[in-house]
Amino acid sequence: MDFVKLEMDGALATITIDRPKALNALNRQVLSELSDAIGQVAANRSLRTLIVTGGGEKAFVAGADIAEMANFSNAEALAFCEQGHRVLDSLEALPIPVIAAVNGFALGGGCELALACDFIYASEKAKFGLPEVTLAVIPGFGGTQRLTRIVGRARAKEMIFSGDMIDAAKAREIGLALEVVPPAELIEKCKKLAANIAKRGPLAVAQAKRVIDAGADLKLGDANAIERDGFMKLFATADQKEGMAAFLAKRPAEFKNA
Ligand code: CAA
């Protein structure tokens, strides 16, 4: 892969969008490589967490590639949008937690990539925005929908109508970024959380993610039915027996992902 790096270190995978000369902008090749990397993560049962970040000093991802899009026909625009949606949907659907480590500009398609992760940790120099209207288009990789679900309709409209960037502190204030840390501490902060997640029951973490995501757009009663189903199913796992036996025996649990 030319522009996407996939590293696996024990239970942790890291995907780096690495095209710093174009501030890691997403063209069709980068999206295709990202799709391959996500497929490899999905196929590896020893992984417990994925971190997604940007290569170089300046950017997480500064958006979809404007040079590639500039002369798109309607059909090409739709195909590009569909490719972006497919790739980000597959990222969102991974059973393991995915942390966006936003180390710089996260604009347009880059902000949308971060929004498709489970949550965002940001460096103090991160900048977020959906500036598509400055190019006379709208977000096309899910930003109108995912941002709205995270920060609410009015904040999403403010960001999308104005095209303005917000800094990391503002992103935390509106619930877009969960944590803001000095740039040099960002990856360590994400790794620390990943190490904690790796100690928990893997099937339970995956079930929690499934239940939260599946219930998010449903009525509470229907969503709680999904929780009941997930809770019940975990009692057929060896890890549930081990987790509870270990607690009662006052010893650390050893989970087998089974
Ligand atoms: N697409 C293609 N190339 C990009 C890019 C993008 N989204 N963002 C930056 N680049 C390129 C620049 O063209 C420049 O290339 P050259 O060196 O060959 O000229 C290089 O990256 C460095 O960028 P700048 O010189 O502009 O760096 P800067 O520090 O002056 O500015 C910036 C940084 C404010 C992020 C600015 O680059 C910028 O505004 N980028 C575009 C952001 C944007 O509009 N993103 C949304 C794209 S539309 C989209 O994403 C649609 C969708 O939802 C699917």
Side-chain angles (χ1 to χ4, degrees):
M1 292 195 275
D2 297 328
F3 300 126
V4 174
K5 280 198 307 203
L6 170 61
E7 291 157 287
M8 298 193 197
D9 179 12
L12 177 66
T14 303
I15 288 179
T16 305
I17 311 296
D18 197 22
R19 195 191 170 206
K21 279 191 187 146
L23 302 188
N24 305 324
L26 304 172
N27 61 18
R28 286 174 284 204
Q29 181 182 345
V30 179
L31 285 174
S32 161
E33 291 182 11
L34 178 58
S35 177
D36 285 352
I38 293 166
Q40 288 183 51
V41 171
N44 188 326
R45 272 182 53 86
S46 61
L47 295 172
R48 298 285 175 269
T49 312
L50 169 65
I51 295 172
V52 179
T53 194
E57 294 299 309
K58 273 174 79 173
F60 174 71
V61 168
D65 191 312
I66 299 167
E68 191 172 75
M69 287 184 294
N71 292 314
F72 272 174
S73 64
N74 291 144
E76 286 167 328
L78 179 60
F80 186 56
C81 191
E82 286 171 344
Q83 185 187 12
H85 279 195
R86 258 194 321 275
V87 176
L88 298 197
D89 288 353
S90 71
L91 179 66
E92 191 171 56
L94 282 173
I96 58 173
V98 181
I99 308 169
V102 174
N103 52 315
F105 291 111
L107 303 176
C111 188
E112 294 169 297
L113 171 63
L115 286 164
C117 299
D118 288 303
F119 44 80
I120 295 170
Y121 280 10
S123 110
E124 285 164 350
K125 70 181 180 76
K127 293 250 194 294
F128 297 83
L130 289 172
E132 282 85 350
V133 294
T134 66
L135 304 164
V137 294
I138 63 170
F141 289 171
T144 58
Q145 307 309 313
R146 288 196 178 95
L147 183 66
T148 302
R149 281 162 172 73
I150 291 170
V151 303
R153 222 191 282 194
R155 278 288 182 206
K157 285 179 174 173
E158 180 186 42
M159 279 180 72
I160 291 170
F161 294 169
S162 70
D164 287 341
M165 286 187 225
I166 59 171
D167 64 16
K170 181 76 179 178
R172 183 175 50 193
E173 186 193 312
I174 67 172
L176 177 54
L178 294 191
E179 300 283 344
V180 178
V181 297
E185 293 171 24
L186 178 61
I187 294 298
E188 272 320 302
K189 177 91 182 167
C190 295
K191 283 186 174 174
K192 208 168 158 193
L193 177 64
N196 268 346
I197 292 170
K199 289 185 218 150
R200 313 306 179 209
L203 296 173
V205 173
Q207 193 63 258
K209 177 166 170 169
R210 184 189 77 82
V211 163
I212 292 167
D213 287 340
D217 296 324
L218 302 182
K219 285 199 288 192
L220 184 62
D222 297 337
N224 270 336
I226 295 176
E227 182 189 83
R228 286 195 292 279
D229 175 68
F231 182 80
M232 171 272 292
K233 280 185 173 144
L234 288 166
F235 281 76
T237 67
D239 281 350
Q240 174 269 325
K241 306 285 177 268
E242 165 64 10
M244 294 193 181
F247 175 83
L248 294 172
K250 302 187 189 303
R251 63 168 174 82
E254 280 186 40
F255 296 123
K256 302 271 192 295
N257 197 15

